Every structure is written in structure tokens, then in C-alpha cells.
Amino acid sequence: MATVAYETALMFWRIITQIFFREIRPRGGFNIPRDGPVIFAGAPHSNQFLDPLLLSLEVYRESRRRVHFLTAAKSMKRKAVGFFARQMDSIPVARAVDEAKPGTGSVYLSPDDPCLVLGEGTRFKSEFSPKMQIMLPKSMNSAVAEVLTVISDTELRLKKEFGSETGKETARVREKLAEAETEGTKGFPFKILPFIDQQEMYRGVYQRLKEGGCIGIFPEGGSHDRTDLLPLKAGVSIMALGAMANDPSVKVKIVPVGLYYFHAHRFRSRAVVEFGSALDVPEEFVEMFKQGGSSKREAVAKLLDLIYDGLKTVTIRAPDYDTLMLIQAARRLYKTPGQHPTLGQVVELNRRFLEGYTHFKDEPRVQKLKADVLKYNRLLRDLGLRDHQVPRAKKASWKTLSLLSYRLVLLLIWAVLALPGTILNGPVIILASVISRQKAREALAASVVKVAGRDVLATWKILICLGAAPLLYTFYAILATAVAVRMQAPLGVRLCTPFLVIFALPFMNYAALKFGEAGMDVLKSLRPLILALGPGHQRDLDKVKDMRMRLSNEVVGVINEFGPKLYDDFDQFRILVPASAPPSTGSPGVWRRKSSVGQVDAQGNLLIHPMTWIDERLFGWSRTASRGISASGGSTPVSRPQTPDIESEEEDHGDYDDVINYIPAYEDASRGKLRNRQGSYADLQRLRMTSVNQTNTPVTSSGVQTSDDQSMHVRSRKRKESLSDLVPVGRIASVDRREDFEKVTKGLNKEISEKPSA
């Protein structure tokens, strides 16, 4: 019965997440152990209740295994959240901070002893007891310390000073106290945190692991919207070590899981769930854990460091939001026009760029490139353009005017089709937006780690829609029935009306969603056309195109200079095609290639993107549609490379289905051989360096074959010759595009090999 309830809940949430997200992509599913006890450690915890849902859904889809998540007991007490959490067989965890109560009076630190807390008007004897905790205000980062002894109503001794052994918070507390004294205030308000015995929770976890089950946990603790990871809590280490210490036959594996969202709180955004290599718990850590005392603490800390290192391989950790935006801008400039990386490749490129920037950010050339990229971004904002639209902008002509007119008509059609569903769902949309923002403000006020409280927005939007939509549809059904009765419709019609309305509304609203989505794509594509037709704007377009070309080549140059210093085998697998290189050729069919899920992709499907198909066939863009370079390394045809593209507002979307699934980063799928980070980087480069003619079944140089069911088959295949990165850009530009690409490649490589070295 529990299995049926779990699978039913998963089916329900899969439908909900597929409606909320435009795309969810798993990576590294082969890293999930198919049997035995497993702890899934996820990070960053940036989308509150959606994070465990996505992780559970992807684990079940990849391995058919059920994940039992640790959920705050406070959340389990909520009606809606608690109901769904129980259906997912979650394990409640009581947190002291959830039971915090304000204390009487105010407190301050002794000037001579950082572990001695003094009070003004306090009642320590009646409010505190040993093992309880005292928490300072948010202005002092909500510093917490455990009470060792209660001396009197105005004195108590801490087990360790604020900030643990390092006492890193003590200086801040004294500084704030000094500021308060200058204002005539002595001491600060405080909160009382009760002592909570977690032994029962740990016993439940140990039993699940002993039975060979899966536990899910976000070791950061609570959710947040920061760009970097929070310090990890020791609970995940204690669970793994405790289970193995209690039963030597239990061999726990820990799988680090990274969750990456493209605008986590927005409706119809995208998400990537990446599973890293499973970590074995070292036996020496288990023996240290059994010894207790300082050895136990050392074992817990060492395993926590191991888990943190694992999470670093599957997460993108920027020090701040501006750095993250800079990295994403540079990554877009690095992508040759015509390439369409998968979501997984986008995440991997962001991670590599961030790693390189962290190492070389103080280099003068990197600093100059950073300033130029920021200047380019400002120019794009001034023009109202997006980066993906710049390479395809062209001079105004009668075709531009015709294309603008056609897209305006198409926008009107999509708007009309989407309007009924938008109006019917208007009350729910407004209610969800208002309440979710209110909840975000409340969460921000109650937290010391949140930046803007965006991590709770998506959760509350979904919960409100789940509660309000059925009520709204019921109201519409009653209203329609009342109208039928008033119009004296036949009895059968009156009886069927409410059921027909309730049944038809979800389908109507989903259709409106898809029509509205297509309309938004059209709307975003209008700006470049309007700019091209506007007087005097052509000079601005030429300026931004030249700047992008220069920056794109400079990004490639910087990577080629510093890449070998970071990766030993970089020279063997560097990206060879700069932005100014001429595109390869191909022969597109009328309906184009098929996607990895067996459907005709968005660039050739009249039903998915009718404007794209008609753009090419009606307005003549198909003449250039045969040119382009795909991320799979082949001469994959790319639609209208010189016309403004249609992409999502986050600029991280391309035609993701027409390229191969991303090569496993840390394991060879055919042999189960572990691979290092440099090896995974080499695989990434192979996707972008190999030039092969497109066949019906594309195969990469690594032997990964694209199939309709998105599975990966490894075969041995000799790599076709690719263009050397030593060929000057000017020499490439002088090549006659009518010549055979493979022959030209061989000729250019031969010229370089025969050229005497300096």
C-alpha cells in the first residue's frame, strides 16, 4: 500500500513539475547505485520543496528507487505540505530553531570571558538548563551557543564561545555591543532554543539504510537563494558513519547531487539535476567514529569534507550574483553561432568557466576581458537586445519588413488563442503572485542566510495554484450550470454541464499555456527587426556585432592561453572554432532532423515553431539554413543563421534535442572505468571540435550514439579529421565556401604541418 501511495504521489508531482518547468534534464544517472544503502546529498538547496521533488523524481525515473527525504517537523505539521510529505514517506526532523522562543530581558558578553553571558532583567534559572542554546539577534548573524551551566538569573556559562572553537562571532558581538552602548543601550534581545534529542530520528535513518533503502538530505540545512553553498551540517556524516558503525554489513554510498535552475522561481523555467560519482565511506573513518570523543568528531569532519568536495564537482558556486552573470555572458560569447549545447553542456561550461575565472581572475588580460564583457552587456541592455540575437541581425530590406509584419500577425494569432485561458486563470495567477511574494518577505525576515527569499517563491506558487485552481474551476462549473438552467437547456445538458466544464478547463488552460509560450517567443524576436528598420539603428547593430565578434575571439584566446595551465591535456582537446571561422556545410531536409526523443525538432516543426518554418520557406532564409556547426561536432544544419533567433529570456535555451546526450563526466559507460575531471573536460571539447558530416544516426568521436530513447551506446569509431587551431582566421576566411569542407580541412592542416616552425 505504501508503494502504491508513493508511486501515485510521484505521478502527480511529475505532472505538476512538467507544467511548472519547461524542461528538466538529468545528468549522470548512471552514477546512481542500483542496490544497497544510498544517501543522496543535494545542493544547493535553492528551491525549497521543489528540490526534493525533482531529486526523487529523477532518481525514480533513472533507477526505480524510492528516496526518503528528511523533512523539517515544522513543515510536516502544515496541512498541505505535511500531507504530501507523508505520501512521499518523508522522515520528520525536529529543529531547535523552529521551537525558538524569545527570552526575558537583554544579554551581553563579559568583557573578560567570551564564554560568560551576563543579563539585564533576565531569568536564566527558570528559562535555561544545560544543553539548551541561546541565539543572538539577526544583526549578529543569529549566532548560537550551547549553555554549559546556569550560574544565576543574570549569569550563564557557554560550552563554547559564539562561533564554535574559532570564536569568529565573538568579535562581531563585541563590536555591536560597543555600538549599542554609544546609543545608550546595554545588551541585546535573545531567543531560547530547546535541547532536542535526535536519537530517534537517527535510529529511523539507520534502519532504512540497513534495509538497503535510500535517504535524501540537503546538508546545507534550510533553503536559500545565495550563489554559493552554505556550510554543510554534520548530520549527513553522522548518518553514514553511524549506520556503518552499528552494523558492519552495511556499506553506505553517498551520491552528491547538484541542482541547477535557470531562474528557479519563474514559471516555465528550466532545471538540471546532476548526479556525481558515488562516494564510498572509508573504513578508517568508521573506526574513528566508533572510538567516540575527539576521534568521532574528526571522522565526521573528514567525511563532511569529502562530501563537500563531491558536491563541488556537480554544483556551480559563484561568490556573488555579478560574478555568475559575468561567467554566463562569457560562456555565451564562447559558443560559436550555430551551436546548440544541451542543458547539461551549458551547466558544465558554466562550471569550467567559473573554475578558470577563480584561478586567473587577477591576471591583467582576464581583468580587461571582464571590463569589455560588462561593457558589451550594458550596450545590449541599452539596445534592448539579447546576446543570441546579435550574430543573426542583418541589414534592413523588404524581407525584414515582411518578416516583421508576418510575426506581428502570428503574435496576434497566438494572443487570441491564449487569451481565453489567460482570462480564466487570471484570478489564480494574480493570487499566486501576490501571496508568494508575501511569503518570500516573511521567509526573508525570519532567515539570516536568504538574500531576497526567492527560494520559496516557486513552492508557494505551486501550492497556491493547487489549492485555488480546483475552487475556481468548481465556481466556473456552477456558473455554467446556472447559465444552462437559466437558458432552459435540456435536462441532460444541465446534468452534464458541470462535468464537461471541469473536464475541459485543464485541457483548455494547457493549450493556452502552449500558445502563450509560442507568443512570448515571437514577441522577444521583434526587437531586432524593429531596430533594423529604425533610422540610424544600423550603425548601433554594426557596432554591437563587431564588439561581439572581437570579444568572442578574445574569450577563445584567453581560454587557449590559460586553459593549459589548469588542465594538463587541454592542448589535445581545446575548442578549435573561433566565432569568426566560416561555418561548415550540410544538407538540410524539408522537415529537418529528428530530436533525441523521436520528434521533429523545433527548427523544422511547423506545429512547434510555425514561425521558424515559414521564416525559412516563405521569406527565403532556407538558402543559408544549410550552414552551421553543431555542438555535437558535426555539420548539423542550423536554421536561418542570419536571422534573429527565438530563445527564452534566460538565453540558456537552444535546440537541445538535436544534439547527443552529454558524455558521462566521471565514468566510461561501457567499462565502468572512473575518469578524472580532466578526462571529462576532454569529452566536453570533443563535442565541439570534431567535424563530421551528419548521418541518420550521429556518433561522436567518443563513440556516443544519439538514439530516439535518449539512451547512450558506446561504439568504436575513428575520429574524422578536424581543423587545427593553428590555422589563422584570415586564412580560413579566404577559403571558397563552395569547396568540399573535408578536403579544405585536410588542405589547411597540411599547410600548417608543412610550415617550418619558428
Side-chain angles (χ1 to χ4, degrees), residues 25 73 77 85 103 147 194 221 298 318 466 477 545 566 585 587 646 661 724:
R25 285 295 176 95
K77 294 176 182 177
V147 176
E298 184 181 357
L466 287 177
K545 286 178 70 174
L566 194 59
T585 59
S587 301
I646 294 128
N661 289 320
S724 170

Side-chain angles (χ1 to χ4, degrees), residues 183-492:
E183 298 173 359
T185 304
K186 188 174 184 179
F188 287 102
F190 62 98
K191 288 187 177 180
I192 305 166
L193 274 60
F195 169 72
I196 296 178
D197 187 1
Q198 300 287 9
Q199 292 306 311
E200 182 178 351
M201 180 271 295
Y202 281 118
R203 281 193 292 269
V205 170
Y206 296 158
Q207 184 61 32
R208 296 282 173 88
L209 293 175
K210 184 178 180 179
E211 295 169 355
C214 299
I215 297 294
I217 184 173
F218 290 91
E220 293 173 287
S223 63
H224 63 93
D225 52 352
R226 292 178 177 270
T227 57
D228 202 355
L229 299 182
L230 296 178
L232 304 187
K233 308 294 185 183
V236 62
S237 292
I238 297 174
M239 291 173 192
L241 294 171
M244 295 179 66
N246 289 343
D247 189 340
S249 65
V250 175
K251 303 297 179 184
V252 177
K253 290 185 178 294
I254 302 174
V255 177
V257 185
L259 295 103
Y260 186 88
Y261 297 94
F262 297 82
H263 301 287
H265 60 287
R266 292 186 183 177
F267 185 59
R268 304 301 288 170
S269 57
R270 293 176 171 82
V272 175
V273 182
E274 181 173 359
F275 299 93
S277 299
L279 307 174
D280 292 312
V281 179
E283 289 293 340
E284 57 267 28
F285 291 178
V286 179
E287 294 301 322
M288 293 171 61
F289 186 85
K290 291 179 180 179
Q291 295 174 15
S294 60
S295 296
K296 178 179 179 180
R297 290 192 294 271
E298 184 181 357
V300 170
K302 285 185 175 181
L303 182 57
L304 203 61
D305 289 340
L306 191 64
I307 296 170
Y308 185 76
D309 290 338
L311 286 172
K312 287 194 294 187
T313 67
V314 293
T315 55
I316 296 175
R317 303 170 302 106
D320 51 62
Y321 182 77
D322 292 337
T323 300
L324 183 60
M325 294 299 100
L326 172 68
I327 294 302
Q328 291 182 348
R331 188 262 306 156
R332 288 192 292 267
L333 289 168
Y334 190 49
K335 186 183 71 172
T336 303
Q339 289 179 331
H340 300 299
T342 65
L343 277 181
Q345 290 170 323
V346 168
V347 172
E348 185 68 13
L349 278 172
N350 281 341
R351 185 179 300 123
R352 303 297 180 183
F353 270 60
L354 188 58
E355 187 175 357
Y357 177 76
T358 302
H359 277 79
F360 304 110
K361 61 183 179 181
D362 296 326
E363 294 288 338
R365 189 176 181 186
V366 175
Q367 288 291 319
K368 183 179 183 304
L369 179 60
K370 174 183 176 181
D372 291 343
V373 170
L374 294 177
K375 182 179 179 181
Y376 171 73
N377 280 345
R378 287 193 295 270
L379 182 58
L380 286 183
R381 285 196 297 269
D382 292 341
L383 293 175
L385 290 175
R386 303 186 187 281
D387 176 75
H388 70 269
Q389 297 172 327
V390 174
R392 299 171 175 88
K394 61 181 296 182
K395 292 182 179 180
S397 65
W398 69 269
K399 288 185 178 181
T400 308
L401 181 60
S402 302
L403 185 59
L404 177 62
S405 302
Y406 156 66
R407 289 186 176 177
L408 286 172
V409 172
L410 190 60
L411 179 62
L412 180 62
I413 293 173
W414 289 144
V416 170
L417 292 174
L419 192 60
T422 304
I423 294 175
L424 290 175
N425 285 291
V428 175
I429 295 172
I430 296 173
L431 188 65
S433 178
V434 172
I435 296 180
S436 63
R437 292 182 185 279
Q438 179 183 347
K439 293 295 182 180
R441 288 192 294 269
E442 293 175 2
L444 179 62
S447 172
V448 296
V449 297
K450 301 183 191 298
V451 177
R454 287 189 295 265
D455 55 303
V456 305
L457 285 173
T459 294
W460 280 104
K461 286 178 181 178
I462 290 178
L463 291 177
I464 293 163
C465 289
L466 287 177
L471 295 177
L472 185 65
Y473 294 170
T474 302
F475 170 75
Y476 288 147
I478 295 173
L479 187 63
T481 304
V483 172
V485 171
R486 187 176 182 84
M487 295 178 64
Q488 298 181 349
L491 179 62

Side-chain angles (χ1 to χ4, degrees), residues 484-669:
V485 171
R486 187 176 182 84
M487 295 178 64
Q488 298 181 349
L491 179 62
V493 173
R494 282 180 280 175
L495 293 176
C496 293
T497 294
F499 301 102
L500 289 174
V501 170
I502 292 178
F503 180 78
L505 277 175
F507 293 97
M508 181 189 301
N509 294 332
Y510 185 74
L513 168 67
K514 301 302 290 184
F515 290 138
E517 206 167 73
M520 289 302 298
D521 287 342
V522 177
L523 179 63
K524 295 167 191 173
S525 73
L526 298 181
R527 178 76 180 184
L529 297 175
I530 296 173
L531 281 176
L533 292 171
H537 285 300
Q538 188 58 49
R539 185 182 304 171
D540 294 331
L541 287 176
D542 292 340
K543 178 181 177 181
V544 74
K545 286 178 70 174
D546 291 342
M547 180 180 291
R548 191 190 192 283
M549 184 73 69
R550 177 177 58 81
L551 282 176
S552 191
N553 285 323
E554 178 64 14
V555 168
V556 173
V558 168
I559 290 173
N560 287 343
E561 177 182 348
F562 295 105
K565 300 177 183 179
L566 194 59
Y567 301 100
D568 294 336
D569 57 353
F570 179 85
D571 285 330
Q572 186 178 357
F573 300 110
R574 74 178 69 188
I575 295 176
L576 300 176
V577 185
S580 56
S584 59
T585 59
S587 301
V590 175
W591 289 100
R592 287 301 155 85
R593 57 201 175 276
K594 287 189 176 182
S595 74
S596 59
V597 293
Q599 299 175 335
V600 179
D601 69 25
Q603 296 207 11
N605 192 333
L606 179 61
L607 298 178
I608 297 177
H609 272 297
M611 87 179 221
T612 302
W613 191 87
I614 299 179
D615 280 357
E616 295 176 355
R617 272 66 194 175
L618 184 61
F619 295 103
W621 303 120
S622 58
R623 179 176 62 83
T624 57
S626 63
R627 301 175 187 150
I629 302 170
S630 82
S632 59
S635 53
T636 304
V638 178
S639 301
R640 51 180 179 79
Q642 297 181 7
T643 60
D645 198 7
I646 294 128
E647 294 198 23
S648 64
E649 60 183 294
E650 54 265 38
E651 294 216 27
D652 290 311
H653 169 56
D655 183 13
Y656 298 115
D657 288 331
D658 67 323
V659 294
I660 65 169
N661 289 320
Y662 185 69
I663 294 176
Y666 306 107
E667 185 175 353
D668 189 309

